[in-house]
Amino acid sequence: MYQQQQQQKKLPKTIKVPRPPEFNGKQPTPVNWCFSMHNYLFAEGGADFLNTSTAVHTAAAYLRGTALNWWRQHEQEVHRGLTPEYENWYHFRDAVTTQFTPVQPEVSAREKLDTLRQIRDVYSYANEFTSCMLELPSMGEGDRIHRFIMGLKPEIRAHVWLQNPTTLTKATELAVKADAVLWENKNHLRPFNNMRQVQHSGPRNGATPMELGSATPVDPSTPAELDAAEATKPYRPDATTA
């Protein structure tokens, strides 16, 4: 056991953790940014690192715009002795969430949920729906499923209702599968519909096959042959000159 632990300590660190995005006070949402930053700091330094002021300054290096101005003001107040410094990541995280989260995030999430509908694919709709659900942790599973299904396109909604899902995850899976089947069917029918349009479309000049078959044939005679035939015709004086 001891030898195994020693071997693990000697293993090189080959996994590179993606850096979290910058935060300007609005994008991404404070909750999502703090979640990404927490995972990054933990992966880089472990649980002990989260309890240091170094973690705070590491996270502050990703602030931009309004968020950066807020941090600069805080640092000035610390130097003037007006406010204490954030001792660890958890204090800093709570301060960021309080400062930049809307006063009533649940109200905003519910208002967005009232008008949320599937416009494009199910993936895009489900992503927006999940963002609302993160702001509504107290909403029951039954209400989540009902809200999600009601926002789907009619043809997909009917399919999901028939399956009677009992979790939001299952409802999402059913909607994704139904969306994929509908998309595939539309692509298979498109060449067939194009072929039917070509078959039913007539000639560009509007003539039907019967009209084309009954057209008068063109005389293949040459000009010389026509002159010779004209010369052999008997002379008939014009009735007007008689």
Side-chain angles (χ1 to χ4, degrees):
M1 185 67 178
Y2 175 77
Q3 293 180 350
Q4 185 178 0
Q5 292 177 352
Q6 293 298 320
Q7 291 177 355
Q8 290 178 353
K9 290 182 179 180
K10 294 180 181 180
L11 290 176
K13 186 177 180 181
T14 58
I15 300 177
K16 294 184 179 180
V17 181
R19 294 180 178 272
E22 297 177 348
F23 178 61
N24 62 9
K26 294 183 178 180
Q27 297 294 333
T29 62
V31 174
N32 286 344
W33 182 78
C34 288
F35 183 80
S36 299
M37 181 59 69
H38 180 97
N39 290 337
Y40 174 74
L41 296 175
F42 181 85
E44 287 292 323
D48 294 337
F49 182 61
L50 296 174
N51 291 314
T52 65
S53 60
T54 305
V56 174
H57 289 276
T58 301
Y62 288 81
L63 300 180
R64 297 291 183 271
T66 304
L68 180 60
N69 292 337
W70 165 80
W71 173 251
R72 291 181 60 188
Q73 182 179 357
H74 169 76
E75 287 290 274
Q76 291 179 2
E77 292 176 355
V78 169
H79 290 307
R80 292 162 58 187
L82 300 177
T83 186
E85 193 170 5
Y86 300 121
E87 297 179 355
N88 54 48
W89 155 251
Y90 301 103
H91 294 168
F92 178 81
R93 178 198 62 188
D94 294 343
V96 169
T97 304
T98 302
Q99 178 68 28
F100 297 103
T101 300
V103 179
Q104 294 179 319
E106 290 191 5
V107 175
S108 300
R110 290 184 183 278
E111 290 178 351
K112 181 179 180 180
L113 201 60
D114 289 338
T115 59
L116 183 60
R117 297 292 183 274
Q118 180 193 352
I119 303 299
R120 302 185 298 276
D121 56 282
V122 172
Y123 280 112
S124 301
Y125 167 71
N127 184 48
E128 294 184 31
F129 187 88
T130 302
S131 298
C132 293
M133 290 299 98
L134 291 174
E135 302 295 340
L136 300 169
S138 61
M139 179 177 286
E141 190 70 8
D143 291 337
R144 292 169 182 256
I145 297 172
H146 178 81
R147 290 268 195 164
F148 176 79
I149 296 178
M150 292 304 297
L152 293 169
K153 292 181 179 180
E155 59 271 25
I156 300 178
R157 183 194 312 151
H159 173 79
V160 178
W161 272 132
L162 290 175
Q163 303 300 318
N164 193 25
T166 57
T167 64
L168 179 60
T169 301
K170 186 61 178 180
T172 305
E173 292 176 357
L174 293 171
V176 170
K177 290 180 180 179
D179 191 26
V181 171
L182 289 174
W183 182 85
E184 186 176 357
N185 289 341
K186 289 179 180 179
N187 283 343
H188 285 172
L189 290 175
R190 188 175 302 167
F192 177 74
N193 291 335
N194 292 341
M195 184 180 300
R196 292 182 61 185
Q197 292 178 1
V198 172
Q199 292 175 349
H200 287 284
S201 60
R204 294 184 179 180
N205 59 4
T208 62
M210 290 295 294
E211 293 173 336
L212 292 175
S214 60
T216 303
V218 178
D219 189 354
S221 301
T222 63
E225 293 172 342
L226 293 175
D227 292 341
E230 186 69 23
T232 58
K233 290 181 179 180
Y235 174 74
R236 295 179 180 179
D238 194 349
T240 56
T241 59

